């Protein structure tokens, strides 16, 4: 049996300790085998290529690069599947793993394979790191030393300051910093983005992707550890990967491998460290991990950094309210049309300027609480520099209703409220009284029961605690919407001396509007004397 097949089987059976996301990826590996041609000869050739590369550091120096079973599985997943027309299935690979597991070396091997061994004349391979220092320390030494080891006399490969040329096919591999200006008219056969978590935007990725249009087998490799910025392009891409693994999105050309801990794991337990560190006892020494974990336990200020870098846990805040995995688990496709004439409650978070406005509809039914949130944005907000890329992506996905002008047109919201009012039995619409006078008058005149809901901790305490309880207990069904998941991730808790809590945010750009609207609709439901004791 091939080692990569055995690895996937042992992950699924539990013989190899791995997180849920890797288990799902292994199950997907076998599912794709039923749908596409899988070519063992191609995979064997790629794996064999690594064996002629030579390590050049530490105790492994001079030894061949022999892929571990988990690395072979990645190579098989990226290169083994083919479409009916003979083109390679995988076009994007997202690989997220803790430090010291050799991810950059694996990617450097992929880059050189793309240069030499991928059957592409005139191949352009770009290896982008986030800074010039990272290029000098990590990416370039790997690429240049591997190339020199392959061809010590330089007969086929010529190594320059930042480029490896393969004249036999008029191809080259170039390393560069992501802030480089040397990206005029690229035509990449393959590109690799290293430590993508630190990227401030997706401009380099977008330029390189747009240049792949004429390539028959384009490939983008994104490798990273977890980071601290959940508003950045890396976490957005990670969202896509996780949604694909959970069948919330479909893209067979996207391979994803996320090595991390599961939500219920104790990060201090050595038995779970292998989930984030599949190269434990190979390139990651248990003594090193033990030292780092002990440091985090003894010095709490180091905890977030150790969790992020050594255990591959995204934790930009130590005060995350509800773990992302619970929100994903609760996410389902919801249509208001499926609840015709059902009793419903709404909450509305009106923006005062050119920002998100949202309306949440909450339908209690069959011992579940169904939440659907609609988002609105003025057209001018798409040009605002800070959020332009995020808002444009949400618009592209059809998750926003755009209104003309530079402030949200409340008439659009009122029209949608009226449609919901006619479809459902809309008991009440909770709203923040501040700056909502005219909207409330217009809605009331149309027969909608508007219920003021102040934004103080006392009002939000009960629905906040109840929403947490019903999500953790599996009784919440939340519309499958990445904006809502984005809002949940940004929530931190504000508390008073009486133990009252309310979602808050540390920075203005960390949107939580969707969560506020959900809590208003749930709070309105809880305020109804008929239901105040039933939840």
């Amino acid at each position: 049996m091939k080692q990569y097949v055995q690895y996937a089987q042992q992950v699924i059976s539990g013989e190899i300790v791995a997180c849920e996301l890797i288990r799902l990826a292994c199950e997907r590996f076998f599912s794709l085998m039923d749908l596409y041609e899988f070519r063992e000869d191609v995979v064997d050739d790629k794996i064999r290529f690594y064996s002629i590369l030579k390590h050049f550091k530490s105790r492994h120096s001079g030894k061949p690069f022999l892929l571990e079973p988990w690395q072979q599985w990645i190579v098989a997943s990226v290169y083994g599947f083919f479409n009916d027309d003979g083109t390679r299935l995988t076009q994007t690979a997202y690989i997220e793993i803790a430090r010291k597991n050799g991810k950059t070396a694996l990617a450097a091997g992929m880059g050189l394979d793309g240069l030499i061994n991928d059957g592409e004349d005139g191949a352009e391979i770009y290896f982008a790191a986030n800074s010039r220092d990272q290029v000098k320390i990590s990416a370039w030494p790997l690429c240049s030393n591997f190339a020199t080891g392959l061809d010590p006399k330089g007969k086929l490969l010529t190594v320059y300051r930042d480029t490896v040329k393969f004249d036999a096919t008029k191809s080259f591999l170039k390393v560069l910093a992501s802030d480089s200006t040397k990206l005029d008219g690229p035509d990449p056969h393959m590109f690799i983005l290293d430590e993508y978590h630190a990227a401030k935007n997706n401009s380099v990725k977008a330029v390189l992707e747009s240049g792949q249009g004429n390539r028959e087998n384009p490939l983008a490799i994104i490798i990273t550890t977890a980071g601290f910025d959940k508003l950045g392009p890396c976490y957005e891409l990670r969202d896509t990967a996780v949604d694909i693994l959970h069948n919330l999105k479909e893209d067979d050309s996207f391979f994803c491998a996320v090595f991390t801990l599961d939500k219920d794991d104790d990060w201090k337990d050595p038995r779970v460290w292998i989930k984030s560190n599949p190269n434990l006892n190979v390139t990651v020494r248990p003594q090193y991990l033990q030292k780092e974990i002990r440091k985090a336990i003894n010095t709490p200020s180091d905890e977030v950094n150790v969790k992020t870098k050594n255990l591959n846990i995204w934790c930009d805040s130590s005060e995350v309210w509800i773990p992302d995995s619970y929100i994903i688990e609760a996410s389902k496709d919801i249509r208001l049309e499926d609840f015709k004439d059902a009793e419903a409650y709404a909450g509305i978070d009106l923006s005062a300027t050119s920002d998100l406005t949202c309306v949440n509809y909450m339908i209690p039914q069959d011992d579940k609480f169904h939440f659907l949130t609609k988002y609105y944005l003025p057209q001018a907000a798409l040009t605002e520099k800070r959020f332009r890329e995020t808002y444009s992506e949400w618009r592209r996905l059809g998750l926003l209703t755009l209104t003309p002008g530079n402030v949200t047109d409340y008439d659009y919201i009122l029209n949608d409220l009226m449609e919901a009012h006619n479809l459902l039995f809309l008991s009440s619409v909770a709203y923040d009284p501040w700056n909502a006078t005219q909207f409330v008058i217009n809605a009331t005149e149309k027969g909608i029961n508007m219920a003021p809901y102040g934004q103080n901790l006392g009002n939000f305490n009960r629905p906040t605690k109840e929403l947490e309880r019903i999500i953790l207990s599996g009784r919440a069904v939340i519309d499958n919407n990445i904006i809502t998941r984005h809002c949940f991730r940004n929530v931190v808790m504000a508390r008073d001396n009486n133990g009252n809590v309310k979602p808050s945010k540390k920075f203005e750009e960390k949107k939580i509007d969707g969560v506020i609207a959900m809590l208003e609709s749930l709070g309105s439901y809880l305020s109804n004397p008929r239901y105040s004791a039933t939840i």
Side-chain angles (χ1 to χ4, degrees):
M1 183 184 297
K2 301 292 185 181
Q3 283 193 329
Y4 52 83
V5 173
Q6 186 176 25
Y7 171 80
Q9 289 181 342
Q10 289 177 332
V11 165
I12 294 170
S13 70
E15 188 175 343
I16 290 178
V17 177
C19 68
E20 181 193 17
L21 293 177
I22 292 299
R23 180 182 58 77
L24 291 173
C26 287
E27 291 176 352
R28 184 171 180 250
F29 176 72
F30 290 116
S31 296
L32 291 176
M33 281 189 172
D34 294 332
L35 300 173
Y36 299 93
E37 179 188 6
F38 183 82
R39 292 184 56 185
E40 289 188 0
D41 60 316
V42 172
V43 176
D44 290 344
D45 186 48
K46 301 298 183 184
I47 293 172
R48 191 161 44 246
F49 176 79
Y50 275 90
S51 69
I52 63 174
L53 301 177
K54 293 290 191 298
H55 291 291
F56 58 92
K57 275 188 177 183
S58 190
R59 68 182 187 276
H60 298 289
S61 181
K63 296 178 181 178
F65 193 156
L66 301 178
L67 294 178
E68 295 297 312
W70 68 271
Q71 293 171 318
Q72 292 191 27
W73 167 72
I74 287 177
V75 169
S77 299
V78 171
Y79 293 104
F81 294 101
F82 287 83
N83 295 302
D84 291 340
D85 62 1
T87 58
R88 189 163 53 215
L89 174 65
T90 299
Q91 296 187 7
T92 303
Y94 178 82
I95 303 165
E96 185 186 294
I97 193 169
R99 291 181 62 189
K100 306 293 184 183
N101 283 272
K103 65 183 180 305
T104 306
L106 180 68
M110 288 180 169
L112 285 170
D113 177 84
L115 175 70
I116 300 167
N117 194 42
D118 214 22
E120 184 78 6
D121 288 342
E124 296 181 17
I125 315 295
Y126 294 92
F127 199 126
N130 287 297
S131 67
R132 287 173 176 80
D133 287 342
Q134 190 183 346
V135 169
K136 293 176 183 177
I137 294 171
S138 180
W140 179 239
L142 285 163
C143 294
S144 60
N145 279 286
F146 281 162
T148 301
L150 277 174
D151 185 18
K153 296 185 178 180
K155 293 182 177 180
L156 297 173
L157 296 173
T158 309
V159 178
Y160 296 96
R161 182 174 60 88
D162 60 3
T163 304
V164 179
K165 286 192 174 181
F166 183 51
D167 289 334
T169 60
K170 295 182 173 56
S171 302
F172 67 81
L173 180 153
K174 178 184 284 290
V175 297
L176 55 113
S178 291
D179 56 1
S180 173
T181 58
K182 301 175 183 178
L183 274 177
D184 294 333
D187 179 24
H189 167 58
M190 176 194 297
F191 68 85
I192 300 159
L193 301 181
D194 194 9
E195 296 296 10
Y196 193 48
H197 73 270
K200 294 180 173 58
N201 55 59
N202 71 348
S203 57
V204 171
K205 178 174 176 286
V207 168
L208 292 170
E209 281 179 332
S210 66
Q212 290 187 310
N214 293 325
R215 295 292 183 176
E216 188 173 72
N217 288 303
L219 184 58
I221 306 290
I222 293 89
I223 58 172
T224 190
T225 55
F228 303 101
D229 183 10
K230 291 186 178 180
L231 293 175
C234 184
Y235 202 85
E236 182 178 346
L237 190 64
R238 186 190 199 273
D239 267 346
T240 298
V242 172
D243 284 351
I244 287 171
L245 291 175
H246 282 94
N247 294 317
L248 295 174
K249 291 180 181 176
E250 184 178 342
D251 185 353
D252 290 347
S253 71
F254 192 132
F255 166 72
C256 28
V258 178
F259 295 87
T260 187
L261 300 193
D262 289 310
K263 62 186 179 186
D264 296 325
D265 286 336
D266 178 2
W267 61 277
K268 299 183 287 295
D269 184 354
R271 292 173 297 181
V272 302
W273 296 345
I274 194 171
K275 293 183 179 183
S276 302
N277 296 273
N279 247 21
L280 196 64
N281 289 310
V282 181
T283 59
V284 180
R285 293 183 296 111
Q287 301 92 319
Y288 166 77
L289 267 187
Q290 184 69 61
K291 176 176 71 71
E292 293 296 298
I293 301 298
R294 189 182 303 115
K295 181 172 67 174
I297 295 171
N298 294 336
T299 310
S301 59
D302 290 329
E303 180 178 324
V304 168
N305 189 62
V306 169
K307 283 182 175 179
T308 303
K309 299 307 176 189
N310 298 108
L311 297 175
N312 201 49
I313 302 170
W314 285 80
C315 47
D316 62 345
S317 170
S318 59
E319 304 171 78
V320 170
W321 176 33
I322 298 175
D324 204 34
S325 54
Y326 285 99
I327 308 303
I328 290 173
E329 195 172 319
S331 296
K332 300 288 187 297
D333 291 331
I334 298 176
R335 301 189 320 145
L336 290 184
E337 292 81 359
D338 295 334
F339 296 92
K340 183 173 173 55
D341 296 327
E343 185 172 34
Y345 294 79
I348 184 166
D349 189 49
L350 295 171
S351 64
T353 56
S354 58
D355 209 347
L356 279 180
T357 287
C358 54
V359 180
N360 174 263
Y361 300 92
M362 192 279 287
I363 303 114
Q365 192 174 88
D366 301 328
D367 197 39
K368 298 275 190 179
F369 294 84
H370 304 262
F371 297 89
L372 184 148
T373 308
K374 294 190 175 182
Y375 295 89
Y376 305 82
L377 187 75
Q379 181 79 37
L382 292 177
T383 63
E384 185 180 345
K385 188 174 182 180
R386 280 185 304 170
F387 307 126
R388 181 172 59 232
E389 289 183 6
T390 300
Y391 286 159
S392 296
E393 176 64 11
W394 290 347
R395 177 200 185 187
R396 186 185 68 79
L397 294 172
L399 304 176
L400 290 171
T401 297
L402 290 181
T403 70
N406 57 5
V407 296
T408 301
D409 187 339
Y410 290 167
D411 286 343
Y412 281 72
I413 300 168
L414 186 54
N415 288 338
D416 283 354
L417 268 178
M418 283 303 301
E419 287 186 13
H421 180 64
N422 294 330
L423 178 69
L424 309 166
F425 176 65
L426 195 56
S427 182
S428 63
V429 177
Y431 69 94
D432 178 4
W434 184 80
N435 203 37
T437 304
Q438 190 57 53
F439 178 82
V440 172
I441 291 173
N442 295 342
T444 303
E445 287 177 348
K446 291 182 176 292
I448 297 175
N449 179 25
M450 302 296 292
Y453 203 87
Q455 301 292 293
N456 55 72
L457 271 86
N459 271 348
F460 275 81
N461 180 58
R462 187 180 180 197
T464 298
K465 291 178 177 177
E466 293 294 357
L467 181 58
E468 177 179 340
R469 190 170 70 83
I470 64 175
I471 289 175
L472 297 184
S473 65
R475 295 177 63 199
V477 182
I478 301 171
D479 182 39
N480 177 22
N481 190 317
I482 63 173
I483 305 180
T484 301
R485 294 197 285 278
H486 172 89
C487 291
F488 268 101
R489 290 188 201 105
N490 293 332
V491 169
V492 294
M493 280 298 120
R495 292 177 170 85
D496 64 16
N497 293 332
N498 296 319
N500 293 316
V501 295
K502 175 192 173 183
S504 181
K505 56 185 178 181
K506 286 189 173 180
F507 306 104
E508 190 276 332
E509 63 267 20
K510 290 184 176 285
K511 308 298 181 186
I512 64 170
D513 312 71
V515 173
I516 295 299
M518 289 174 67
L519 291 171
E520 286 177 338
S521 60
L522 181 59
S524 182
Y525 168 83
L526 293 171
S527 299
N528 189 319
R530 288 184 296 165
Y531 303 110
S532 61
T534 62
I535 191 169

